[in-house]
Amino acid sequence: MILQAHLHSLCLLMLYLATGYGQEGKFSGPLKPMTFSIYEGQEPSQIIFQFKANPPAVTFELTGETDNIFKIEREGLLYYTKALDRETRSTHNLQVAALDANGAIVEGPVPITIEVKDVNDNRPTFLQSKYEGSVRQNSRPGKPFLYVNATDLDDPATPNGQLSYQIVIQLPMINNVMYFQINNRTGAISLTREGSQELNPAKNPSYNLVISVKDMGGQSENSFSDTTSVDIIVTENIWKAPEPVEMVENSTDPHPIKITQVRWNDPGAQYSLVDKERLPRFPFSIDQEGDIYVTQPLDREEKDAYVFYAVAKDEYGKPLSYPLEIHVKVQDINDNPPTCPSPVTVFEVQENERLGNSIGTLTAHDSDEENTANSLLNYRIVEQTPKLPMDGLFLIQTYAGMLQLAKQSLKKQDTPQYNLTIEVSDKDFKTLCFVQINVIDINDQIPIFEKSDYGNLTLAEDTKVGSTILTIQATDADEPFTGSSKILYHVIKGDSEGRLGVDTDPHTNTGYVIIKKPLDFETAAISNIVFKAENPEPLVFGVTYNASSFAKFTLFVTDVNEAPEFSQYVFQAKVSEDVAIGTKVGNVTAKDPEGLDISYSLRGDTRGWLKIDHVTGEIFSVAPLDREAGSPYRVQVVATEVGGSSLSSVSQFHLILTDVNDNPPRLAKDYTDLYFCHPLSAPGSLIFEATDDDQHLFRGPHFTFSIANENLQNDWQVSKINGTHARLSTRHTDFEKKEYVVLIRINDGGRPPLESTVSLTVTFCSCGQDGCFRPAGHQPGIPTVGMAVGILLTTLLVIGIILAVVFIRIKTDKGKDNVERAQASEVKPLRS
């Protein structure tokens, strides 16, 4: 046995040396706490580590969860003798101690942890070989109604134990459409959107699914798998709109009153009502059982029907299905009396009206439901005032309310007015309405003109529209201020263009002939006008209009020289701004009412761009056009008659210029304050904007930017932000404290493309709280220090010269004064 043990140790030592485990530090070392990871299923007799003993230690001892697998040799070789199984034990907690020759512990024990790493050596297994479940038709897509579950003994924290579910077969498969779906991680089975819409237990009451599960997340060809069968029963959807509800209005029963109900397919749904019409008063509620109530009496006359929705939601507030439409109709009761159309209804009847003719219809109103017994009205005359020449002169149709003459025609001389009291009733209520009947004179007299011929009338063709040119008069012998005596005048002949009209004074029946449209000598120099006078009320039978109701006059229109007339007030044309000089850009037309020739000219051509052909009215360009200078370009066109009075008229000509790309890009503003704080701590950037004067539709300008000078490209770069803005950035931080001029090339990408080079001056300067500190430099108009000193010295010199001159002058003046005084003293007489 001792020999066998020595041989085993020798073999291990040779394996240890052959595999390189003798390298100090990697596979060997002193005794200390350590953790090792070993894949399960590996070959046994594998060396884990070589512990080194320090004197007086001569051997090692292994304890803990060895499971008779882990061993240690006297020399400190830790190894295992059997393949490990993570599913049996995933972690082995061991202790290693160093012993002396007497077996006493001189070092340790120290903990040694063996972690068994997983390999995919177990296949997933469904918990059941067959599952059964049920689902309601029209259930919400994506809401699980059944779960399948599988287990895998491999480590769930690794792909070995990560499972993926999949439906591999659906029977029956209709139109190759999947009605069911599964969550590949949780195994939750739910309906697809198509399944929610198409499942129908009347057509296919059951379905069978074959579901597979794979480990390795289903992503490896070497993954293990298992399958199971699922039988699904489709049950009828009970989430259906109830039948329309009918409620009697003004119910006196205690409220709330249950009127209908809805039910979701499963318990636990949360119900609510949605008012589709957003009423100020919504008289319905629903409890959490799905029972719907009316909360207060309803009034059909206020609202005769309600439409709202019932909604079912899950515990998270998400709708379980589509809302159900609820209809409530309010049934009428007879709770409204008839009402009269007005306090007094007035009718008129002619004095010769025949028996049975309609006088008028009294239409009362009932707010109860139409076409029911509650709103069916009966009419009855209960009193006639006065009862002359007899009572019962009128009758009324019981249901229609139409009044008729019953016994004889009326005479206004006997009674000009009758008052009737009429009872209007439904089956429960009665109302009295009042009717006034006025007897009016019959239209048995025709209007008669005071004269039949109003002679001749001469007017200039430019007589103002609205002018009264003639007064006519007719009389009517019927009762004044009635439809029988009112007179209307009409021009019935001689005015086919409708240039004349007649206004009637309602008090005197005088007719005023007015001009409604401009007169025209060229088309109607002489007109024989005929008037007819008639009543708005029809004449009685046997009476007709005759010659007395007609009159005439002759209208002479004199010619007036009129200015030419343009065919339109504004003429408009459109051309490109780069058309060649001499191009026809438009034309105008005018004509003279008298047929004279016309000469055209332009007025207001401030830019001198256009000329017009004096005869044809064609307009040509005579100079380069520029849209940016002004578009549309507006000028006036003058048409002057040739000969005659040389009258003229003016029209407008608008020339719209379409854009061409003829303006190069430029900076949108002067950038005079661009600076960086010196020294730069990191590359910096500045933003600038470009523009041009061309027209940009829809997408706007699209400029491109680049550094114009190759020598600057090592220090600067420019990048586009959008179509108009760019960013100028430094490429490094090594700049001097001074001004730099950066040349940038801007291209507009037009047709043809235009580009320009612009400069940006960027200052590197010391910065304070208020920004860049720039040393004062010479600016135009401000003298330098040397110039200032020179100016000051020159000024002092000039002042010195002036003072010297003044001083000398004063001295000279004093000398003259002294001489004059001396001379005066010589000639002055002595006084005693």
Side-chain angles (χ1 to χ4, degrees):
M1 291 293 291
I2 295 174
L3 178 60
Q4 183 178 359
H6 281 295
L7 287 173
H8 180 70
S9 298
L10 182 61
C11 289
L12 287 175
L13 181 59
M14 292 175 64
L15 178 64
Y16 171 77
L17 294 173
T19 55
Y21 275 77
Q23 300 175 20
E24 180 71 25
K26 185 174 183 181
F27 301 108
S28 64
L31 185 64
K32 63 180 179 179
M34 300 187 74
T35 298
F36 301 97
S37 295
I38 303 173
Y39 280 102
E40 64 174 329
Q42 288 189 351
E43 292 295 328
S45 298
Q46 295 286 332
I47 297 173
I48 301 173
F49 195 77
Q50 167 74 62
F51 292 103
K52 297 296 182 68
N54 297 316
V58 295
T59 187
F60 294 89
E61 179 183 53
L62 178 67
T63 59
E65 298 172 343
T66 63
D67 293 346
N68 204 26
I69 296 175
F70 296 95
K71 306 288 185 180
I72 193 167
E73 294 296 322
R74 292 176 56 83
E75 296 82 4
L77 285 174
L78 176 65
Y79 63 98
Y80 58 96
T81 61
K82 291 198 309 183
L84 303 181
D85 184 8
R86 193 201 65 84
E87 287 72 39
T88 302
R89 189 189 296 274
S90 61
T91 304
H92 294 264
N93 295 303
L94 309 177
Q95 295 85 35
V96 175
L99 310 179
D100 61 13
N102 297 321
I105 297 175
V106 295
E107 189 177 357
V110 298
I112 304 298
T113 303
I114 306 296
E115 295 179 345
V116 184
K117 298 184 69 175
D118 187 49
V119 296
N120 191 24
D121 57 352
N122 292 278
R123 67 188 293 255
T125 305
F126 278 104
L127 299 183
Q128 298 176 213
S129 61
K130 187 174 186 178
Y131 290 82
E132 295 180 349
S134 64
V135 62
R136 295 274 185 186
Q137 68 178 135
N138 304 126
S139 292
R140 181 161 59 89
K143 183 182 180 185
F145 63 86
L146 179 64
Y147 287 84
V148 295
N149 292 286
T151 59
D152 191 311
L153 295 178
D154 289 319
D155 187 358
T158 68
N160 303 329
Q162 293 177 0
L163 305 183
S164 176
Y165 299 92
Q166 181 182 5
I167 298 175
V168 294
I169 298 176
Q170 170 189 296
L171 296 176
M173 175 76 78
I174 301 171
N175 297 327
N176 202 32
V177 175
M178 290 295 294
Y179 290 163
F180 302 91
Q181 59 187 351
I182 190 168
N183 187 307
N184 64 350
R185 298 180 65 85
T186 65
I189 302 175
S190 61
L191 294 181
T192 63
R193 184 175 299 277
E194 293 80 6
S196 175
Q197 297 171 352
E198 300 296 335
L199 281 185
N200 187 344
K203 295 181 179 179
N204 293 290
S206 64
Y207 288 80
N208 176 259
L209 306 178
V210 175
I211 297 178
S212 73
V213 62
K214 293 183 179 180
D215 60 15
M216 302 297 288
Q219 302 298 315
S220 173
E221 295 180 357
N222 300 322
S223 59
F224 296 111
S225 65
D226 191 18
T227 59
T228 189
S229 176
V230 179
D231 291 332
I232 300 173
I233 303 298
V234 181
T235 58
E236 184 181 6
N237 179 25
I238 63 173
W239 180 247
K240 295 181 179 179
E243 293 295 322
V245 178
E246 293 191 356
M247 284 288 302
V248 175
E249 67 171 329
N250 298 323
S251 172
T252 57
D253 295 337
H255 287 72
I257 302 172
K258 179 180 175 181
I259 57 174
T260 188
Q261 67 182 30
V262 294
R263 292 289 185 270
W264 178 243
N265 297 311
D266 304 307
Q270 299 176 0
Y271 300 98
S272 60
L273 298 181
V274 176
D275 175 18
K276 175 183 177 182
E277 301 170 285
R278 301 183 183 277
L279 300 172
R281 182 178 70 95
F282 184 64
F284 301 97
S285 65
I286 188 170
D287 63 20
Q288 291 312 302
E289 298 298 322
D291 295 332
I292 299 175
Y293 300 86
V294 60
T295 58
Q296 54 190 277
L298 305 180
D299 184 0
R300 192 204 68 84
E301 287 71 42
E302 178 184 330
K303 187 170 178 58
D304 62 356
Y306 295 85
V307 179
F308 53 92
Y309 292 95
V311 178
K313 298 181 179 179
D314 61 17
E315 63 272 20
Y316 304 108
K318 294 183 177 180
L320 293 167
S321 186
Y322 53 84
L324 299 181
E325 195 170 70
I326 311 297
H327 291 264
V328 177
K329 180 181 179 182
V330 184
Q331 293 180 333
D332 185 47
I333 62 173
N334 192 24
D335 58 348
N336 291 281
T339 58
C340 303
S342 61
V344 177
T345 302
V346 179
F347 297 117
E348 290 184 343
V349 58
Q350 290 185 341
E351 59 183 354
N352 69 335
E353 198 72 51
R354 284 187 273 178
L355 298 181
N357 280 6
S358 171
I359 299 172
T361 300
L362 177 67
T363 304
H365 177 70
D366 193 307
S367 297
D368 292 314
E369 187 174 1
E370 295 181 1
N371 303 319
T372 66
N374 297 331
S375 60
L376 181 63
L377 302 181
N378 294 311
Y379 298 87
R380 183 172 68 90
I381 297 175
V382 296
E383 185 177 6
Q384 168 191 313
T385 304
K387 296 179 174 58
L388 297 174
M390 64 183 67
D391 195 9
L393 289 174
F394 307 94
L395 62 82
I396 189 168
Q397 293 185 7
T398 304
Y399 296 108
M402 186 175 73
L403 283 163
Q404 298 170 287
L405 277 175
K407 293 185 177 180
Q408 67 177 51
S409 296
L410 307 179
K411 296 291 184 180
K412 183 172 182 179
Q413 294 86 344
D414 297 337
T415 304
Q417 185 181 94
Y418 291 90
N419 293 294
L420 303 180
T421 301
I422 298 177
E423 179 188 87
V424 185
S425 61
D426 59 20
K427 65 177 185 177
D428 296 311
F429 297 96
K430 295 179 180 179
T431 300
L432 296 179
C433 297
F434 301 98
V435 175
Q436 176 182 306
I437 300 176
N438 296 323
V439 182
I440 61 174
D441 184 29
I442 61 174
N443 190 16
D444 56 357
Q445 302 292 322
I446 64 172
I448 298 174
F449 272 102
E450 62 179 5
K451 56 183 179 179
S452 61
D453 190 344
Y454 283 87
N456 300 330
L457 181 63
T458 300
L459 297 174
E461 66 176 330
D462 63 351
T463 302
K464 188 176 180 181
V465 172
S467 302
T468 299
I469 61 173
L470 182 65
T471 300
I472 57 178
Q473 183 72 59
T475 57
D476 193 300
D478 288 313
E479 182 181 356
F481 307 112
T482 66
S484 299
S485 62
K486 182 178 180 179
I487 298 176
L488 301 178
Y489 299 97
H490 302 285
V491 178
I492 63 171
K493 187 177 179 182
D495 184 25
S496 59
E497 298 295 327
R499 290 188 169 94
L500 303 180
V502 184
D503 291 339
T504 303
D505 186 323
H507 301 289
T508 63
N509 278 337
T510 301
Y512 299 97
V513 183
I514 61 172
I515 297 178
K516 292 170 58 180
K517 295 181 180 179
L519 304 179
D520 187 8
F521 169 81
E522 285 73 22
T523 59
I526 302 174
S527 300
N528 295 309
I529 308 298
V530 178
F531 300 107
K532 179 182 179 181
E534 57 186 354
N535 305 125
E537 190 72 28
L539 296 172
V540 298
F541 181 76
V543 178
T544 59
Y545 294 104
N546 57 36
S548 301
S549 299
F550 296 85
K552 65 179 181 178
F553 84 99
T554 301
L555 175 61
F556 293 92
V557 178
T558 60
D559 187 28
V560 175
N561 188 21
E562 298 169 279
E565 297 175 353
F566 279 97
S567 59
Q568 57 195 68
Y569 179 71
V570 177
F571 295 85
Q572 186 169 290
K574 180 187 290 186
V575 296
S576 174
E577 65 173 327
D578 64 346
V579 296
I581 294 175
T583 300
K584 178 183 173 181
V585 297
N587 66 281
V588 299
T589 56
K591 66 178 181 178
D592 185 75
E594 288 74 37
L596 298 176
D597 291 335
I598 293 175
S599 175
Y600 298 97
S601 61
L602 295 179
R603 181 188 298 169
D605 183 14
T606 56
R607 299 187 183 277
W609 285 355
L610 305 174
K611 73 173 182 178
I612 190 168
D613 188 300
H614 300 297
V615 177
T616 65
E618 295 177 314
I619 300 175
F620 300 88
S621 66
V622 295
L625 307 179
D626 185 6
R627 186 200 66 84
E628 289 71 32
S631 178
Y633 184 55
R634 297 179 174 90
V635 297
Q636 292 181 327
V637 182
V638 181
T640 305
E641 63 183 14
V642 178
S645 303
S646 297
L647 296 179
S648 63
S649 57
V650 178
S651 182
Q652 303 291 323
F653 178 72
H654 294 174
L655 181 60
I656 299 172
L657 301 177
T658 58
D659 190 45
V660 296
N661 193 32
D662 58 351
N663 289 278
R666 57 181 173 81
L667 291 176
K669 63 178 183 178
D670 291 333
Y671 290 93
T672 58
D673 54 352
L674 301 180
Y675 69 91
F676 288 111
C677 292
H678 188 276
L680 282 178
S681 58
S685 63
L686 302 166
I687 294 175
F688 64 92
E689 180 184 1
T691 186
D692 68 17
D693 296 319
D694 289 315
Q695 185 177 22
H696 298 285
L697 302 177
F698 307 119
R699 68 187 186 101
H702 277 258
F703 299 126
T704 58
F705 305 86
S706 60
I707 299 295
N709 191 330
E710 292 184 2
N711 297 331
L712 299 176
Q713 293 180 359
N714 293 329
D715 299 328
W716 303 90
Q717 66 178 357
V718 64
S719 56
K720 181 177 178 179
I721 298 175
N722 54 34
T724 57
H725 291 74
R727 177 179 286 107
L728 177 64
S729 307
T730 62
R731 288 188 177 272
H732 55 81
T733 60
D734 189 17
F735 286 88
E736 298 180 21
K737 190 189 296 185
K738 67 175 185 178
E739 287 185 349
Y740 291 81
V741 177
V742 184
L743 300 180
I744 297 174
R745 183 182 298 110
I746 307 175
N747 188 299
D748 64 6
R751 297 181 181 177
L754 297 179
E755 69 178 23
S756 62
T757 300
V758 300
S759 63
L760 291 176
T761 301
V762 183
T763 303
F764 286 80
C765 56
S766 300
C767 292
Q769 292 182 347
D770 296 329
C772 180
F773 173 75
R774 307 178 192 227
H778 175 65
Q779 298 182 10
I782 300 178
T784 63
V785 173
M787 292 172 61
V789 171
I791 292 171
L792 180 60
L793 292 176
T794 302
T795 303
L796 292 175
L797 178 61
V798 170
I799 293 173
I801 293 171
I802 293 172
L803 290 175
V805 170
V806 171
F807 178 76
I808 294 170
R809 183 67 179 267
I810 291 173
K811 292 288 286 180
T812 303
D813 289 343
K814 282 185 177 180
K816 289 181 179 180
D817 289 341
N818 292 333
V819 172
E820 290 175 353
R821 287 194 189 99
Q823 292 175 349
S825 62
E826 291 176 357
V827 298
K828 186 176 181 180
L830 294 174
R831 294 183 182 182
S832 57

